Structure formats: C-alpha cells, structure tokens
Amino acid sequence: MPADHSPTVRRRRLGAELRRLREQAGLTAEQVGEQLTCHASKVGRIENGRSGVRILDLRTMLDLYEVGDSRVREALTALAKEGKKRGWWQQYSDVLSTAAAEYVSLEAAASHIKDFQPILVPGLLQTEDYVQALMNGGRPDDTPEQISMRVRLRMERQSILSGEAPPLLWAVVGEAALRNQVGGPATMRHQIKALLEVSDKPNVTLQVLPFTAGAHPGVDGAFTVLSMPEQDEQEVILVEAMTSSLYLETEQQVSRYKFAFNHIRAAAASPSQSRDLLRRALYDYRDLGD
C-alpha cells in the first residue's frame, strides 16, 4: 500500500490538523468533548491518530473551529473517509493486536526505518524458516494455524523493501543475533546468506554491533524509529515488550532514541566490516551439523 494511502497515516494527518485547528480556536479537548458528548480522551485519540472520527463528529468539530472554507472541509472529510479503510493487514486480525496493526500500517508508510535489534534478526530481514522457528519457540500457546498466519504476515510485511517506493532501512544487529541458533545451524546458514544478499540492496544499510563494542546506549533493548514521508509528520519510536508495544512520539523522546541510534551505529562495525562478520558466522555454521 502506498504511503499516502495508509489508513493510519491518513488518521494521523487528520488528527494533527484537527489539533492545530482546536488550539487555534482556543478550545480545550474537554470543551470539544462536551459538544461531541464524549470524554476528552476520545478527542485526544482522534488528534493523535489512534482513532477514526465519524463524519458527523468531524462536521461538528469544524463548525466549532469556525472552519468555513469548503475546500478545507472537503479535504479533511476525505482524510476521515480514507482513515476508515481497511489495510491489507486486517486479514490477519485474528493474530494481530490493535497496537501491532498500527505498527504494520506505520511501517508500510514509512520513508525511513532505523531498527536496532540486539539479539534477533530484524523482522523485515528474517527468512521464512527463521520466522517459523521463532514463532514455534516464542509462542507456545498459539495453534499451528495461528503460527502459520503470523509467519505469512511477517513475510508479507517484507514486501515494502522491494516495492515501488521502498523505505530506506538502516538496521543495526547485535552479533548475538548471528550466534543465537534460532532453528538450528541450517536455518542460520540460510538466514545469514539472506542478510549478505539484502545488504547489497541500495535502500538497505546493515551493520553488526560486535560483542567487543561493550556498553552502548542500546543496552536496554531493541527499538525502531519510523519516519513518515512528509517532513511535518511526527516520527514514531516503537519499544516492544513481551505483552505490549510502547509508542513514543514527543520531540524529547524521539530525539533521545535517534541520538542513541546514532551512537549505536557509530559503535557498530562498518557495512563492509559487518559483511566480514556475517561471512565469519556463516563459515562457523558450516562446521556444525544440521
């Protein structure tokens, strides 16, 4: 799905504009909520793109904000309608939480992705066998059908890297991800070969953070920075935990994680040195049985 057709991105654009109009009108979220007969938290969810808005509520909000320009009203109404459309990932709703669906939507729309993964291969670069082994080991409560659906979803997500306007992916992978035998030696050989191949793509920069790097700003764990195509679009940080995903969007939070990523990539091996580390790991796996 092209970036400007992503329902989540449409909702975020609409929400940002509605927030600007509300603040310009000198109204609080509580005051708007009273007019919509809803809690201020709903207004907040609309403004941060977490929730769509009914056309009737949108018209009420635009009246409150004294937006009389018909072209502006029509454009915002179009955004609201686009924001309600279903993305391709909705077919996986049985295994996709609301937070995960939002991430997939944002990922599909991003122009730049910076991903730090200390112990696993990044999701966008995982082979099917690696994903299968990862899901089998990491989700013991899932049925075989759910596991299969999760694998298909992960593989379909990867299509963005070879689409019409692929994002620029900068991935830093911990050396532990190369040595952690997910699926066994044969799976890891295939996975490392795939990393060597994808590292030649013009839109992919791959670095390995070696064990010798010592302490670094990423010791607290994995995170991803998503940047949208428009310069005025807020960047989003994703920090994943076992049972939840945390989205960070304030300027201070985004700046801190971007600063951390810059230090991590500076501590990592260069792209050419990283390919050497990949080849070394591949050589070591050749000596191991399957």
Side-chain angles (χ1 to χ4, degrees), residues 2-99:
D4 59 355
H5 290 162
S6 167
T8 298
V9 172
R10 292 287 194 174
R11 290 199 305 270
R12 287 168 60 83
R13 290 180 189 165
L14 174 62
E17 183 61 15
L18 289 176
R19 180 186 294 110
R20 185 188 69 80
L21 290 170
R22 175 179 60 77
E23 292 174 348
Q24 183 176 287
L27 297 172
T28 65
E30 287 76 12
Q31 290 171 318
V32 176
E34 289 177 4
Q35 294 299 316
L36 298 179
T37 64
C38 70
H39 196 275
S41 61
K42 179 180 178 179
V43 178
R45 289 195 300 274
I46 292 172
E47 291 183 348
N48 63 28
R50 295 283 191 270
S51 175
V53 56
R54 297 188 307 164
I55 300 301
L56 181 61
D57 288 343
L58 175 62
R59 290 171 180 162
T60 300
M61 295 169 85
L62 295 180
D63 289 341
L64 281 174
Y65 306 154
E66 298 182 354
V67 178
D69 190 324
S70 61
R71 291 172 299 179
V72 173
R73 295 177 73 100
E74 289 172 5
L76 295 180
T77 299
L79 280 177
K81 291 178 179 178
E82 287 287 338
K84 291 183 178 180
K85 289 186 176 180
R86 291 169 59 87
W88 62 262
W89 48 88
Q90 295 302 324
Q91 63 184 299
Y92 298 102
S93 59
D94 287 348
V95 295
L96 203 58
S97 66
T98 300

Side-chain angles (χ1 to χ4, degrees), residues 78-128:
L79 280 177
K81 291 178 179 178
E82 287 287 338
K84 291 183 178 180
K85 289 186 176 180
R86 291 169 59 87
W88 62 262
W89 48 88
Q90 295 302 324
Q91 63 184 299
Y92 298 102
S93 59
D94 287 348
V95 295
L96 203 58
S97 66
T98 300
E102 180 175 12
Y103 176 77
V104 173
S105 180
L106 290 171
E107 179 185 70
S111 59
H112 294 75
I113 302 173
K114 298 181 178 70
D115 196 2
F116 171 59
Q117 296 292 333
I119 61 174
L120 294 174
V121 172
L124 289 176
L125 304 180
Q126 294 171 359
T127 64
E128 186 168 350

Side-chain angles (χ1 to χ4, degrees), residues 116-255:
F116 171 59
Q117 296 292 333
I119 61 174
L120 294 174
V121 172
L124 289 176
L125 304 180
Q126 294 171 359
T127 64
E128 186 168 350
D129 287 347
Y130 185 97
V131 178
Q132 183 74 50
L134 199 60
M135 296 300 174
N136 286 338
R139 294 188 171 274
D141 295 336
D142 278 8
T143 66
E145 291 75 17
Q146 289 173 319
I147 292 291
S148 177
M149 190 174 291
R150 290 185 188 280
V151 173
R152 292 199 305 273
L153 169 63
R154 181 69 55 88
M155 302 315 294
E156 191 164 352
R157 280 172 52 196
Q158 297 179 5
S159 64
I160 65 171
L161 293 180
S162 53
E164 280 187 21
L168 298 179
L169 171 64
W170 196 321
V172 179
V173 183
E175 188 175 355
L178 310 183
R179 302 294 176 174
N180 183 18
Q181 294 187 31
V182 174
T187 295
M188 291 306 300
R189 283 197 294 271
H190 186 201
Q191 177 63 76
I192 293 173
K193 286 179 181 178
L195 291 176
L196 282 166
E197 290 175 6
V198 78
S199 67
D200 285 332
K201 282 181 172 286
N203 60 313
V204 176
T205 300
L206 178 62
Q207 292 181 262
V208 175
L209 184 68
F211 290 130
T212 55
H216 54 79
V219 293
D220 288 334
F223 64 89
T224 307
V225 183
L226 299 174
S227 302
M228 299 302 119
E230 293 74 17
Q231 291 185 358
D232 60 347
E233 191 73 47
Q234 184 94 34
E235 292 176 296
V236 180
I237 308 297
L238 172 72
V239 181
E240 291 187 278
M242 182 176 293
T243 58
S244 63
S245 297
L246 179 63
Y247 290 93
L248 308 174
E249 302 182 62
T250 68
E251 184 176 348
Q252 182 180 12
Q253 291 168 332
V254 171
S255 295

